[in-house]
Amino acid sequence: MNAQTRLDTAPLTEPVDRAQVRAFTRELRQQGKLSSNVAGIIVFAVVGVVFFFIIGPVFLGVISSVVGRSSLSLVAAAPLLVFAAVIVVIVVGLIRGVGGAGVRRFRLDRFARANGMTWEPGFAKPQLPGMIFSLGGDRKNSDLLRSTSPRFIEVANYTYETGSGKSRQTHHWGYVALKLETPLPHIVLDAVGNNGLFGSNLPVTFGRDQRLSLEGDFDQHFALYCPEGYERDALYLFTPDVMARFVDNAAALDVEIIDDWLFLYAKRDLSTLDPATWQWLFTTIDAIDEKFAQWARWRDDRLAAEVAASRNAGTAASGAPAPSVPLLTPPPAGVAAQGRRLKRGFPVWTVVVGVAVVGWWILTTVFGR
């Protein structure tokens, strides 16, 4: 898809028919794609009962008492007016929140249809191999848009939770998933521009001995990690023209290549009602998609040796003579075991904190006596 000429963003902003929105919401519930609004109805019912049967009579009694006096004091009536205004704001906010979610779903569905994609409300525990999809609990994506031509593309928002009780935290991400034509080594491009005070904003850390420095100003935009022994393969994949595409179009996104997937990550929603965000995303996809053809030609020589060694071991165990010529030429598509996953590391700030804690303990227990 050429984003500049073919992406129709009008459905994201044009006026909508509220009746169509309600009909679309009912259709989603009938299809089982959207949970019923029972919880919201219960909340409204409880608020109504409490207000009309408990707070309401007390509120009216106080007003009658104030109004019944010879002179109505604005100072006395002010808290009552503030209370009434708060109730109105809460009710209106709840109504708009429910209605706004329906309009958002309707707009994204129409936007997807206008551009040859499909929209789904989302799924729990998406089965994707990227680094963010195996962390924490209550994992789910939302507002998921998919395209299958010319390749499989998925854009969605994603959340997962860590901790418990008061320390529970919800982590928000947006991602783009692109299906590749062949498995590739596990490579991560950690965007420098979105790092925070304590370094990388990625949820996991990779061993620094896997960091590969590339030519030009690429290192100013990305920190590239590849498995040890796969440096030449990374250079084959990230030629100067490929590096230029990522710098020019994806410098604000973290990138992960794993198995036969490429992921683009951002710590914000990427499936939005903002036309500019969609134009940027598909411009980025178009730019790097043009280079995937050369990636499809990559083969891992180690895999052929790995398969041959495995077969030779099986032949030796059976007592049959080993073949005198390689069994697989050229190498098959795939990645040898040592290139499939990067080794994890420890964040620098955890090491600093650990050293500080140990130092404090030594000072207080050994020298503090």
Side-chain angles (χ1 to χ4, degrees):
M1 177 184 295
N2 188 302
Q4 295 298 327
T5 59
R6 297 182 57 189
L7 195 62
D8 180 6
T9 61
L12 298 173
T13 56
E14 64 187 8
V16 298
D17 185 334
R18 294 285 177 170
Q20 291 183 346
V21 173
R22 291 191 294 270
F24 178 64
T25 301
R26 287 195 300 270
E27 180 182 351
L28 290 175
R29 292 202 176 102
Q30 291 171 358
Q31 295 174 351
K33 295 182 177 181
L34 191 66
S35 60
S36 63
N37 203 25
V38 174
I41 295 174
I42 292 175
V43 170
F44 275 109
V46 171
V47 171
V49 169
V50 170
F51 181 78
F52 287 106
F53 292 98
I54 300 176
I55 300 177
V58 175
F59 179 68
L60 292 175
V62 174
I63 289 181
S64 299
S65 174
V66 173
V67 174
R69 296 174 185 174
S70 56
S71 60
L72 178 61
S73 171
L74 291 177
V75 175
L80 304 177
L81 296 175
V82 171
F83 174 78
V86 169
I87 295 297
V88 170
V89 169
I90 292 175
V91 173
V92 171
L94 289 172
I95 294 174
R96 286 187 175 180
V98 173
V103 170
R104 176 189 176 88
R105 291 190 292 264
F106 182 81
R107 289 185 184 279
L108 286 173
D109 178 75
R110 294 307 183 269
F111 167 70
R113 293 171 184 267
N115 293 281
M117 297 184 286
T118 59
W119 171 89
E120 295 285 346
F123 305 97
K125 299 180 180 179
Q127 300 301 306
L128 294 170
M131 70 177 79
I132 68 174
F133 301 105
S134 61
L135 302 175
D138 195 21
R139 302 188 292 269
K140 54 190 175 184
N141 56 22
S142 60
D143 288 332
L144 184 150
L145 277 77
R146 284 176 174 166
S147 173
T148 57
S149 178
R151 70 176 64 252
F152 180 90
I153 300 171
E154 180 174 297
V155 183
N157 305 320
Y158 179 75
T159 60
Y160 65 89
E161 294 184 351
T162 57
S164 60
K166 293 183 179 180
S167 62
R168 182 179 295 275
Q169 182 179 3
T170 301
H171 303 265
H172 298 268
W173 290 85
Y175 71 88
V176 179
L178 292 88
K179 191 74 169 177
L180 303 176
E181 296 176 25
T182 186
L184 295 175
H186 191 191
I187 295 176
V188 169
L189 305 183
D190 182 3
V192 174
N194 59 24
N195 288 345
L197 179 63
F198 297 102
S200 174
N201 73 327
L202 293 177
V204 299
T205 303
F206 301 100
R208 297 185 64 83
D209 54 350
Q210 301 168 113
R211 172 80 184 271
L212 176 64
S213 179
L214 298 182
E215 63 183 30
D217 62 350
F218 190 79
D219 289 356
Q220 299 176 20
H221 300 277
F222 292 102
L224 187 148
Y225 295 88
C226 70
E228 292 184 75
Y230 279 79
E231 292 80 7
R232 291 183 62 184
D233 302 272
L235 293 175
Y236 171 84
L237 296 172
F238 287 88
T239 54
D241 58 331
V242 173
M243 288 190 289
R245 295 295 180 102
F246 277 93
V247 169
D248 293 341
N249 298 278
L253 300 167
D254 297 298
V255 183
E256 181 178 21
I257 300 170
I258 181 168
D259 299 335
D260 54 351
W261 290 92
L262 182 144
F263 295 99
L264 305 174
Y265 301 124
K267 294 204 72 174
R268 64 181 180 89
D269 286 354
L270 291 180
S271 182
T272 76
L273 298 181
D274 177 29
T277 296
W278 286 106
Q279 292 283 7
W280 167 55
L281 285 178
F282 275 92
T283 297
T284 300
I285 292 170
D286 290 342
I288 61 179
D289 182 78
E290 293 179 3
K291 298 301 178 181
F292 286 163
Q294 67 190 64
W295 286 8
R297 295 190 293 269
W298 177 84
R299 292 295 182 270
D300 191 349
D301 294 334
R302 306 163 193 80
L303 185 61
E306 185 179 275
V307 173
S310 176
R311 294 196 177 186
N312 288 337
T315 301
S318 66
S324 59
V325 295
L327 293 177
L328 294 173
T329 304
V335 184
Q338 63 267 34
R340 293 173 192 163
R341 294 296 183 271
L342 287 163
K343 297 177 181 178
R344 300 289 178 89
F346 296 96
V348 175
W349 66 268
T350 60
V351 177
V352 173
V353 171
V355 171
V357 170
V358 172
W360 176 257
W361 179 82
I362 294 174
L363 288 175
T364 55
T365 58
V366 178
F367 299 101
R369 294 180 181 178

